[in-house]
Amino acid sequence: MTDAQETAADTTLRTTGGAPPDDVDSAPIPLLEPREGMPPVVADAEALASVVAAFAAGTGPVAVDAERASGYRYGQRAYLVQLRREGAGTALIDPVGCPDLSALGEAIGDAEWVLHAATQDLPCLREIGMTPARLFDTELAGRLAGFARVGLGAMVENVLGYALEKGHSAVDWSTRPLPEPWLRYAALDVELLVDLRDALEEELDRQGKLEWARQEFDAIASAPPAPPRKDPWRRTSGMHKVRRRRQMAVVRELWTARDHIAQRRDVSPGKVLGDAAIVEAALSVPPNVHALAALPGFGHRMSRKQLEQWMAAVDRAKALPDAELPQPGQPLTGPPPPRAWADKDPVAAARLSAARTAVSELAERLTMPQENLITPDTVRRLCWEPPKPATPEAVAEVLSAHGARAWQVEQVTPVLVKALTEASA
C-alpha cells in the first residue's frame, strides 16, 4: 500500500458516478505539496542521466504526464514531462533542455505507464523518444467504469478523496523559467496517478470490466501514429458558411499562408490570424488591400506589410483557373450523412434507428458512454451495408473489420443482429 492509500484508508473508493458513500466525509483533502517535496527541473544531460538510473531501478507502474503550450505555440510538442515511480520519486523534465528522452523511455520500457487521457499525450511523448509498450489510461478506465466526470481532478477527488490544485492547465508551458506554482501543479498531477490506477483497476474488476479495459489499453498502445489530416484547411471554424469554390480557394490560400508564418514564428496559428477573419475574407473576396483592411480581424493594429501578405494570398486564390479550385466537400469514404438516409434508403434508415436504440439501451445497462461501447461510425457502416444474411458470425466479422475490440464484438453483436433483423422484416 502506498503512502496516499494509507492516508486515505478511511475514504474508500467512491461510488460510480461521483457520489461518495454515506459513511465518508464528502469534503476532499487538499493536496498541496508532493510527498517528498518539490523536485528540481531536469534540464541537462547529467541530471537526466541520474533520473534515468533512478527510474530504471524503481518498481511498479510509472505515472507519466506531459504539458503542452496549446494556443500559444505552433504544434503540440511537450514543454514539460512529469513522471513518478515507486523507489524513484517524482521527476520534472524540461524537453527543451533535454530534447531526446529515448534513454528514459528505454529505462521504463518494460513497465506499465499510467496516463490520464493517453491519446492526448502519446503523440508529443513519441516526438521525444518515449513510447509505452503497456499502459493504463485512468480517464478511459473511468469512462468504462461509468463515472460521470472523468477529468483528472474529478477522478482523484471522487475516487481517492483528494483535491488537486486547479488553474494552471491552460497556461503557456513554453515559459522559461517555469513559475514555482506551475511546477507544483505539474508534480501533483502524477502524485496520485498510480493510486488512482489501482483503485480503478479494483472497481473495473468488481464490475467485470477489467478485461475490457485491458483490451482498450492494448489498442491504444499498439495504434500507429495518426496520418496527416487531408486538407486541414477545411476544418477552419465557420467553413460551413463558405459555399463557392473561389471562396474556398481563398480559405485555402489564407490558411496555408497563416500556417507557414505560424510555423516559422513558432506561435499558435490563431495568434497570427483568426479563423473568423479568414472566413470573412473568403466571403467578401476583397478587391484590394483597402477593402481587406475594412474587414473584421484585419484592420485593428495590423501593419501595411501584414495586410499585403494576406492580400497576396487572396490574389493567388483569385488568379487560380477554375480547374484548380477546390471541390465543395471531401469525397465520402463511407455511408452518407444519417440525415440523408431516409431519402436515399428508408430501410437503411430504419436499421440505423433500431441499432442506435439498441446500443443506447445496452450502454445504459453497462453504465458506460455509447461511444466507448462501439463507435457510432462502425454502427453506421454496418447499417448502411449489412451482411446478408445478418448472422451473428457475419455481423461480428464486420465489426472486427472496422476495428471493434473482442469485448465490444461480444457485447454488441446480439443486440445489433436483433435490430438489423427486426428493422428489415
Side-chain angles (χ1 to χ4, degrees):
M1 180 178 287
T2 65
D3 294 344
Q5 287 172 314
E6 290 172 353
T7 304
D10 60 342
T11 55
T12 54
L13 179 66
R14 309 222 167 174
T15 56
T16 300
D22 293 338
D23 60 342
V24 172
D25 184 358
S26 61
I29 303 167
L31 195 64
L32 303 177
E33 292 284 341
R35 64 191 80 163
E36 296 98 2
M38 277 295 297
V41 177
V42 174
D44 59 57
E46 183 179 353
L48 178 60
S50 297
V51 168
V52 170
F55 274 78
T59 58
V62 183
V64 183
D65 191 19
E67 305 296 345
R68 299 176 297 280
S70 303
Y72 298 93
R73 296 288 181 176
Y74 184 87
Q76 293 294 315
R77 66 170 293 186
Y79 282 95
L80 187 70
V81 176
Q82 310 100 277
L83 304 97
R84 181 172 181 81
R85 192 179 196 185
E86 188 72 26
T90 298
L92 302 177
I93 303 175
D94 178 4
V96 177
C98 302
D100 182 4
L101 299 187
S102 55
L104 178 60
E106 292 172 7
I108 58 175
D110 293 335
E112 177 189 79
W113 296 19
V114 184
L115 302 100
H116 192 82
T119 54
Q120 294 182 20
D121 287 340
L122 287 179
C124 70
L125 290 171
R126 285 193 186 101
E127 287 182 1
I128 52 178
M130 297 184 66
T131 303
R134 296 184 296 125
L135 63 83
F136 189 106
D137 186 331
T138 49
E139 185 202 46
L140 181 52
R143 292 181 184 277
L144 295 176
F147 283 87
R149 298 165 61 218
V150 293
L152 180 59
M155 292 293 291
V156 167
E157 182 174 326
N158 293 332
V159 175
L160 299 176
Y162 286 90
L164 292 176
E165 184 181 354
K166 301 173 182 176
H168 299 305
S169 60
V171 298
D172 181 3
W173 287 97
S174 68
T175 300
R176 293 296 183 273
L178 285 164
E180 181 81 8
W182 298 11
L183 293 171
R184 183 178 298 106
Y185 162 90
L188 292 176
D189 263 5
V190 293
E191 181 77 7
L192 297 179
L193 207 49
V194 173
D195 301 81
L196 180 61
R197 171 239 180 268
D198 292 344
L200 288 171
E201 181 181 61
E202 183 178 333
E203 177 66 9
L204 288 167
D205 190 36
R206 185 188 70 79
Q207 295 185 24
K209 300 175 180 176
L210 184 55
E211 176 55 30
W212 303 357
R214 286 172 176 157
Q215 290 181 31
E216 292 298 300
F217 302 155
D218 288 346
I220 294 173
S222 62
R229 191 183 298 277
K230 188 175 188 246
D231 292 345
W233 58 271
R234 291 185 185 270
R235 292 177 61 84
T236 302
S237 180
M239 189 69 191
H240 62 281
K241 303 175 188 175
V242 182
R243 302 189 180 279
R244 296 177 182 173
R245 294 175 64 199
R246 185 72 58 185
Q247 294 174 331
M248 292 179 185
V250 173
V251 172
R252 183 174 64 184
E253 293 297 329
L254 284 172
W255 188 98
T256 302
R258 178 184 71 173
D259 194 65
H260 289 159
I261 294 168
Q263 187 170 12
R264 186 178 71 247
R265 291 169 49 190
D266 190 19
V267 296
S268 169
K271 289 188 174 296
V272 176
L273 185 67
D275 280 10
I278 290 178
V279 171
E280 286 289 341
L283 293 175
S284 64
V285 191
N288 51 48
V289 170
H290 181 73
L292 180 68
L295 296 175
F298 286 95
H300 182 59
R301 293 190 300 180
M302 190 171 283
S303 69
R304 177 77 183 189
K305 182 179 179 182
Q306 289 174 312
L307 285 169
E308 286 176 348
Q309 72 184 1
W310 300 129
M311 192 64 223
V314 174
D315 288 340
R316 287 195 296 273
K318 289 159 65 174
L320 284 173
D322 289 350
E324 295 180 21
L325 295 177
Q327 294 296 324
Q330 301 182 59
L332 289 172
T333 57
R339 62 180 178 273
W341 285 31
D343 293 330
K344 290 179 177 291
D345 190 338
V347 176
R351 285 194 298 262
L352 181 60
S353 178
R356 283 174 163 175
T357 299
V359 169
S360 176
E361 292 173 350
L362 179 57
E364 187 173 349
R365 290 199 300 273
L366 295 174
T367 60
M368 69 172 63
Q370 296 178 44
E371 62 270 21
N372 292 114
L373 176 58
I374 190 73
T375 66
D377 181 67
T378 298
V379 175
R380 286 194 295 269
R381 290 174 184 270
L382 172 69
C383 291
W384 185 249
E385 292 183 327
K388 296 178 181 179
T391 63
E393 294 76 17
V395 169
E397 184 177 348
V398 171
L399 296 176
S400 298
H402 289 305
R405 264 68 72 190
W407 76 269
Q408 294 175 314
V409 173
E410 180 183 3
Q411 292 298 314
V412 302
T413 293
V415 299
L416 288 177
V417 167
K418 182 180 179 182
L420 292 174
T421 303
E422 293 179 352
S424 300

